[in-house]
């Protein structure tokens, strides 16, 4: 029997719940296009810290409230007033990208500015038909933070990063898919079901193998792969109870029950 069948953390603007092995984080500021101020960024960081130490969470889904915007990035009002810094937003996206479990951005509408980087910090991105993307940094005279630029280049490539950051191009949903920003493009009314099914599929896979391969893929992409560490992860999975369970389940023609060790 699974533990933690349902767990909730609620604030006015950031909501988190866990059902089974899937955690869901909701950006709940639709009146300002789910832009994130200091309170929201600190709440997100607290939730990510909790997830980091909780082996019952195998997948995290992030989405926005409403139907207009997934996230408009950091609050420009708070940035201009000095209440928050670009570094705080960068620390939040870095923390999200560093989670060992698979993460899914369920992009429920338009995505702007730092919201694009928030989505790029996830492993998978679902978008809805009719949505738009734009990073207006160059249009307002802002040099996007270095860590964020690095993430755009690593995730999308140099040419795409130049289109989004230097030219401030606006993309429609089809162009988002063609560029590789989106992994899946679905009808708006199907987003919750499609993401839910995908998250449940990931949650049923062997968590130790998934975490190990995510770590290796991330290291390869950033050019920081250490062979000894990669070999140790391969050996860890080879000697795991999960691998024996996977072999047994195949032989017995049943669904495996992985425990993550």
């Amino acid at each position: 029997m699974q533990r933690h069948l349902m767990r909730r953390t609620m604030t006015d603007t950031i909501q988190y719940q866990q059902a089974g092995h899937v955690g869901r984080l909701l950006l709940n500021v639709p009146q300002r296009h789910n832009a994130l101020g200091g309170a929201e960024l600190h709440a997100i960081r607290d939730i990510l810290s909790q997830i980091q130490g909780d082996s019952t969470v195998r997948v995290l889904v992030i989405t926005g409230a409403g139907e207009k915007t997934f996230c408009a990035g950091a609050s420009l009002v708070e940035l201009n007033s000095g209440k928050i810094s670009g570094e705080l937003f960068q620390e939040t996206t870095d923390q999200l990208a560093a989670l060992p479990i698979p993460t899914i951005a369920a992009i429920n509408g338009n995505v702007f500015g730092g919201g694009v980087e928030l989505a790029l910090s996830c492993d998978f991105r679902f978008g809805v038909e009719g949505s738009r993307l734009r990073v207006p940094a160059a249009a307002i005279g802002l040099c996007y933070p270095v860590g964020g630029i690095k993430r755009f280049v690593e995730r999308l490539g140099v040419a795409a990063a130049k289109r989004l950051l230097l030219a401030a191009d606006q993309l429609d949903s089809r162009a988002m898919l063609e560029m590789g920003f989106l992994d899946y493009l679905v009808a708006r009314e199907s987003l919750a079901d499609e993401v839910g099914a995908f998250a449940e599929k990931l949650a049923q896979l062997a968590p130790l193998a998934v975490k190990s391969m995510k770590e290796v893929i991330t290291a390869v992409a950033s050019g920081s792969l250490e062979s000894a560490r990669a070999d140790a992860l391969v050996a860890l999975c080879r000697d795991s109870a999960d691998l024996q369970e996977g072999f047994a389940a195949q032989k017995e023609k049943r669904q495996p029950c992985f425990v993550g060790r």
Side-chain angles (χ1 to χ4, degrees):
M1 177 180 292
Q2 293 179 356
R3 298 178 179 179
H4 301 293
L5 291 182
M6 181 64 75
R7 185 181 64 185
R8 295 177 181 269
T9 299
M10 297 288 185
T11 68
D12 289 340
T13 55
I14 299 295
Q15 301 182 0
Y16 175 76
Q17 68 177 30
Q18 180 186 341
H21 291 302
V22 179
R24 291 180 173 84
L25 192 157
L26 175 69
L27 313 177
N28 190 35
V29 206
Q31 67 275 16
R32 63 172 195 246
H33 298 280
N34 295 316
L36 305 174
E40 290 77 39
L41 291 171
H42 285 297
I44 291 170
R45 296 204 67 189
D46 286 345
I47 291 168
L48 295 179
S49 294
Q50 293 173 28
I51 293 170
Q52 180 82 31
D54 188 347
S55 62
T56 69
V57 186
R58 297 183 181 178
V59 183
L60 175 66
V61 176
I62 298 180
T63 193
E67 296 187 348
K68 289 185 177 180
T69 311
F70 165 68
C71 180
S75 166
L76 293 181
V77 173
E78 293 195 23
L79 280 173
N80 290 337
S81 68
K83 290 184 66 176
I84 62 171
S85 65
E87 287 76 14
L88 177 59
F89 189 87
Q90 189 70 71
E91 289 167 358
T92 305
T93 55
D94 286 346
Q95 187 178 2
L96 173 60
L99 278 183
I101 61 173
T103 52
I104 305 168
I107 304 171
N108 54 294
N110 301 323
V111 54
F112 300 123
V116 177
E117 187 190 346
L118 186 72
L120 284 175
S121 300
C122 294
D123 298 302
F124 303 97
R125 286 167 294 282
F126 283 71
V128 294
E129 295 171 350
S131 58
R132 295 174 292 123
L133 176 155
R134 189 171 186 245
V135 184
I140 62 176
L142 173 72
C143 178
Y144 206 86
V146 173
I149 293 175
K150 183 171 181 282
R151 182 160 290 125
F152 275 79
V153 173
E154 287 180 351
R155 298 291 194 274
L156 301 175
V158 172
K162 287 180 178 179
R163 282 189 62 189
L164 296 182
L165 296 174
L166 304 189
D169 274 1
Q170 178 171 287
L171 306 183
D172 61 21
S173 57
R174 185 59 55 180
M176 291 157 66
L177 181 67
E178 292 172 353
M179 178 179 281
F181 173 78
L182 292 179
D183 298 295
Y184 305 94
L185 179 61
V186 302
R188 184 179 299 274
E189 61 272 17
S190 302
L191 180 66
D193 288 342
E194 295 278 357
V195 171
F198 187 73
E200 290 297 337
K201 182 187 79 168
L202 290 176
Q204 292 171 17
L205 301 174
L208 188 61
V210 170
K211 288 179 180 179
S212 296
M213 288 189 286
K214 175 174 176 175
E215 182 176 334
V216 173
I217 290 169
T218 300
V220 170
S222 64
S224 60
L225 179 67
E226 296 180 0
S227 296
R229 173 60 179 168
D231 291 343
L233 291 171
V234 171
L236 183 66
C237 294
R238 183 190 62 221
D239 299 333
S240 68
D242 275 355
L243 181 59
Q244 296 307 311
E245 166 64 9
F247 286 153
Q250 280 198 336
K251 183 178 180 180
E252 297 163 13
K253 295 181 171 50
R254 60 172 174 80
Q255 284 294 321
C257 182
F258 296 117
V259 295
R261 60 178 186 271

